[in-house]
Amino acid sequence: MTTILYDDPDGPKDFCPGCRGYVHLEDDFCGHCGAPLRETVCPSCGHHVRPGMKFCTKCGKNLLEKK
C-alpha cells in the first residue's frame, strides 16, 4: 500500500524508495538521487529490477551510470 501525502498544493507526493525524498507520482526517476521509480530492465543482463534500486540485483551493474 502506498501512502500519499497531500501537504503540497502541486498535487500528491510519495517517497522515493532509494533515498526517501519526496517525489511526484508521475515521476519516472527521483530528482534527489536519480533512482528509477518504476521497474527497470538492466541494460547489462536484462534482469527486471525493483523501483528505487541504483544497482542491478542480479549482475551489480550501476543503473544510474550514463551509457
Side-chain angles (χ1 to χ4, degrees):
M1 183 171 159
T2 301
T3 303
I4 299 174
L5 303 177
Y6 291 96
D7 62 347
D8 187 315
D10 293 333
K13 289 191 174 184
D14 203 350
F15 290 104
C16 169
C19 71
R20 304 300 294 159
Y22 282 116
V23 294
H24 285 277
L25 298 176
E26 66 273 1
D27 293 345
D28 290 328
F29 294 89
C30 176
H32 304 283
C33 72
L37 301 175
R38 311 267 180 255
E39 184 177 85
T40 304
V41 176
C42 175
S44 180
C45 72
H47 183 69
H48 288 261
V49 183
R50 294 182 312 277
M53 298 291 106
K54 297 174 187 175
F55 295 90
C56 177
T57 55
K58 190 74 165 177
C59 73
K61 168 90 170 138
N62 183 345
L63 299 174
L64 304 180
E65 158 183 297
K66 293 186 179 183
K67 296 178 185 178

